[in-house]
Amino acid sequence: MTSNVNTRAGCQALDASDPLAPLRAQFDLPPGVIYLDGNSLGARPHAALRRAQQVIQQEWGNDLIRSWNKAGWFDLPSRLGNKLAPLIGAGENEVVLTDSTSINLFKVLAGALRVQAGKPDAASRKAIVTERDNFPSDIYMAQGLTEWLDRGYRIHLIDTPQELATAVNAETAVLMLTHVNYRSGHLHDMQAVTAAAQEQGALAVWDLSHSAGALPIDLHAANADFAVGCTYKYINGGPGAPAFAWMAPRHHAQFRQPLSGWWGHRTPFTMQPEFAPGEGIRRALCGTQPVVSLAMVESGLEVFAQTNMQALRSKSLALTDLFIALVENRCADLGLTLITPRAQKQRGSHVSFTHPHGYGIMRALIARGVIGDYREPHVMRFGFTPLYTQFTDAWDAVDALQRILLSKDYDSNTQQEAVT
């Protein structure tokens, strides 16, 4: 699949020959809208509405509490985890869907620190290394955990990936990274980074929120220790959909986390007063599960069964290559700066440009039906979800962007909305 296209007709030809094009029909995309924000909230599968009606009308409405058994509500976190597992290179019964990414990160980070606390050099391993440009919630959760533990743990923030070589050392307990940076789209080499961290005795915790469902991931091949991620971006599980948690089987037996709710108990309905952790990844569960939200995730996961991650990655790279080339050819000298890596091996599935008036420009694009999003400082993000994004979407988005920049038809003083 080539992205060397300089006409809209050429983009139409790419769409016509795209083997993934039929999957677009499975999503409810509004007419007249170019949706380039699947990296923030995935589009709704048509099947999700039917599934919601089934859960609410039949399973809840008619079968009531019997559905915990009859409809399999109790096993949803594990059953859906097994459906998601192939997307991230995980095995059977190694993934659960539950809670939010932030809460799951808190749990696995606490578990990782507990694993390290049992080692002979625990007294000297007090650093959690992460990027200053990591998603803020990840840093906040680490800060909050270290403050509550009050055992000398500290956060070590680095400013470039190159600093990892020296930042991770004998004092590092955990390396906590997001696989694809939320702002720039930079993709870490998970296998190499994990190996380097483990050589120093550190554990590797990965946030897959901007890579799960967008590109091939193999947690086992990378020998990762722990991973979390959301399902409402490329997996199209719906706004605020439950996240997922994974840990390497070698950590199952000793894993403990402080949010020891009854859903993580070995036998929750024996109602014992003492907590006894369940088997394996079920230890990452906490309280009663949000069934309606969980059920929606299945509709997104079912689309992935009709393709494979290599095909999705191939299209993603072609789309992002095309978009970068079109912007730089048609919007040259108009104030845009690319911050996403050009090298395919270092790029996720979204492209980010900065502009001094980035927020106003993005609002102008959205007003014209081209939906991306904005992140401080001055970053305009454009997400390319290969399940439903077309090559003509890239062309038409750049066409609108060029017109806005040339005419300066944007408000540079637009007040930012609560969600950007």
Side-chain angles (χ1 to χ4, degrees), residues 210-388:
H210 283 271
S211 52
L215 53 91
I217 301 169
D218 194 335
L219 290 169
H220 278 280
N223 200 37
D225 292 293
F226 300 90
V228 299
C230 73
T231 64
Y232 54 76
K233 301 183 191 297
Y234 296 102
I235 295 174
N236 308 297
F244 62 87
W246 171 89
M247 73 181 86
R250 62 182 177 274
H251 296 309
H252 283 183
Q254 59 188 140
F255 178 78
R256 298 289 190 278
Q257 52 97 358
L259 303 182
S260 47
W262 75 318
W263 233 243
H265 194 281
R266 186 178 304 157
T267 54
F269 284 89
T270 59
M271 305 297 180
Q272 298 173 4
E274 297 296 327
F275 183 75
E279 295 298 320
I281 191 61
R282 287 193 67 87
R283 298 178 176 209
L285 296 176
C286 182
T288 306
Q289 301 300 302
V291 171
V292 178
S293 296
L294 277 171
M296 297 308 96
V297 179
E298 188 162 18
S299 300
L301 287 171
E302 287 175 346
V303 183
F304 287 91
Q306 303 167 49
T307 182
N308 62 78
M309 293 311 304
Q310 292 296 338
L312 291 170
R313 178 61 168 166
S314 177
K315 181 178 177 182
S316 164
L317 290 172
L319 283 164
T320 51
D321 279 343
L322 172 65
F323 187 75
I324 291 170
L326 288 174
V327 170
E328 294 189 331
N329 289 337
R330 302 184 65 191
C331 303
D333 303 319
L334 293 177
L336 295 172
T337 300
L338 176 69
I339 64 169
T340 299
R342 296 179 187 277
Q344 291 186 344
K345 289 184 178 180
Q346 298 177 358
R347 186 197 317 152
S349 201
H350 69 269
V351 176
S352 298
F353 284 89
T354 63
H355 189 282
H357 303 298
Y359 182 72
I361 294 168
M362 182 54 71
R363 298 310 303 171
L365 281 168
I366 293 172
R368 289 162 175 76
V370 179
I371 301 178
D373 66 13
Y374 174 83
R375 292 293 180 265
E376 292 288 357
H378 312 305
V379 178
M380 295 183 292
R381 300 192 310 176
F382 301 89
F384 294 86
T385 303
L387 290 173
Y388 52 76

Side-chain angles (χ1 to χ4, degrees), residues 9-10 50 80 84 96 107 122 134 185 194 233 252 268 270 297 314 317 358 372 417:
R50 297 190 294 271
L80 297 182
L84 187 144
V96 287
K107 290 184 286 190
N134 198 354
T194 297
K233 301 183 191 297
H252 283 183
T270 59
V297 179
S314 177
L317 290 172
E417 296 184 317

Side-chain angles (χ1 to χ4, degrees), residues 106-120:
F106 181 91
K107 290 184 286 190
V108 303
L109 186 57
L113 292 179
R114 190 178 188 278
V115 170
Q116 292 288 50
K119 295 182 178 180

